[in-house]
Each structure stands twice: as C-alpha cells, then as structure tokens.
Amino acid sequence: MLLASGALGALALLGGAAFLLRVPPFGQKGGIEASEVCASLGTSSSAAEALREVLPAESSYSFDDDVTSRVDATDTGYESACFVSGGGEQLLVADVRLMADEEEGSWTEWVRGTAASDASVTALTPFPAGKKAVASGRFAAVFVPCTSAGHIPGGQYNLSVSVELKKPGGAGAAANRAELIKLATNAASFAHTEAKCDLAR
C-alpha cells in the first residue's frame, strides 16, 4: 500500500510539473510560425493557420520540405513533399507530383491508394477544385490541369496534390476537412506556378 501510494504521489507530482511547464497534454501546443512552414504548402500565413487548427498539441513541430523543379515544359519530373512532425511522430504529409492526365474515377482510386492509412480515405467526398477533388476529415486531394498536350509525349499532364493528416488534433472531422482542403488548394496553387503550368487551374 505504501509503495502504491508513493507511486501515485510521484505521478501526481510529475503531472503537476507538466501542467506548470505547460507541456502537452496539459499545456498549450508549440507555436507554428508562418516562416517555419514548408514553402510547398503555398501562402505561409494561410498554411500556418490551417496547421494550427488540425495538428495535435506538441511542444514543438518540425518541417521538412523537398521540391524537385521542372527544367522546362517537356520535363515530367516535378514533385514535392512536405513532412510535418512533432513528439517524435509524423503528423501530416503533403505530396505533389506531375503525372499524365487520367479519368476522374481512375485518379480518385489511385490517389486513395497513396494514403498511409485506409482510415484517412474511407469517407472521401468531392469538393469544387481542379479537374477532380475529394476530401475527408483526414485527407484532401486535388487533380489540377498543368501542361497541355504537345509539350510532353503522352498528352496532357496534371498535378496530383494530396494532404494526409496522420494524427489529428482536437478539432472535429468537418473542421479538419475544411482546413485540409485549404492546405491542398494552397499547395496546388504553389505547385501550379513552380511547375510552369500553362493550363488554367
């Protein structure tokens, strides 16, 4: 009994210290500044705001951004990836790649298969953007026209943009969906410019 009481007391002290130090889960989440977020997420202030809404509370966050640009209009090599981590875990991933145009249904099935978790894509519903766009409370993706036929062998090429929230915060599914759509469309806008697209989004 004495040992049990001592253990409980120690846990209480640790919990109190965590609260006083404002360490998650008792305290506030670490700040996300616009200057820190991945450039590939587009407008930094908008991206930072969306990330604050959807991410779980962590004492700090890290951002890893990798963008491969196109050399010219005949190059098919454009892609980007943004990884957001916190608490030793990967929290969110945004992926963009240039690919040959596909039928809407075919692309939807393909992009669904890129999700790390089936749970992220079980409740996808459409939203108005690009050629095709779908989202849930854990995943948002948009297929954006990019390069017109005649520049690259194989016809028209589009940008496939997806954002997956691997570990949600406290916001509900509807709120998360709205913010993930914002992140996906912002990333699509950035990629459309960086990839030297000639077709309207």
Side-chain angles (χ1 to χ4, degrees):
M1 290 293 291
L2 289 174
L3 287 174
S5 298
L8 288 172
L11 286 173
L13 286 172
L14 287 172
F19 178 79
L20 290 173
L21 293 172
R22 305 195 71 77
V23 176
F26 298 100
Q28 297 175 342
K29 65 170 67 176
I32 298 176
E33 301 299 329
S35 59
E36 299 173 332
V37 304
C38 299
S40 63
L41 290 179
T43 306
S44 58
S45 57
S46 178
E49 180 182 355
L51 291 170
R52 293 185 200 110
E53 292 296 322
V54 301
L55 293 179
E58 300 292 350
S59 58
S60 64
Y61 302 90
S62 63
F63 300 86
D64 183 16
D65 202 15
D66 185 18
V67 179
T68 301
S69 300
R70 294 176 76 190
V71 175
D72 53 39
T74 66
D75 185 9
T76 62
Y78 184 87
E79 60 183 10
S80 71
C82 170
F83 302 96
V84 183
S85 302
E89 296 183 83
Q90 198 172 85
L91 307 176
L92 181 143
V93 177
D95 180 80
V96 182
R97 66 187 70 186
L98 185 65
M99 59 187 290
D101 184 30
E102 293 187 14
E103 293 297 324
E104 295 177 11
S106 176
W107 171 79
T108 301
E109 287 306 307
W110 176 83
V111 79
R112 183 192 297 270
T114 66
S117 170
D118 289 342
S120 297
V121 292
T122 54
L124 292 176
T125 54
F127 67 92
K131 178 178 180 178
K132 178 69 175 180
V134 291
S136 69
R138 297 277 297 272
F139 190 89
V142 57
F143 202 32
V144 180
C146 179
T147 301
S148 56
H151 293 286
I152 303 173
Q156 179 178 322
Y157 271 65
N158 298 345
L159 290 165
S160 178
V161 182
S162 64
V163 180
E164 182 175 9
L165 180 60
K166 292 188 170 184
K167 186 177 180 182
N176 282 343
R177 183 180 186 273
E179 298 302 329
L180 291 175
I181 287 173
K182 183 190 299 183
L183 287 168
T185 53
N186 282 355
S189 179
F190 174 87
H192 195 266
T193 299
E194 290 296 308
K196 303 178 175 66
C197 297
D198 65 272
L199 291 174
R201 290 189 292 121

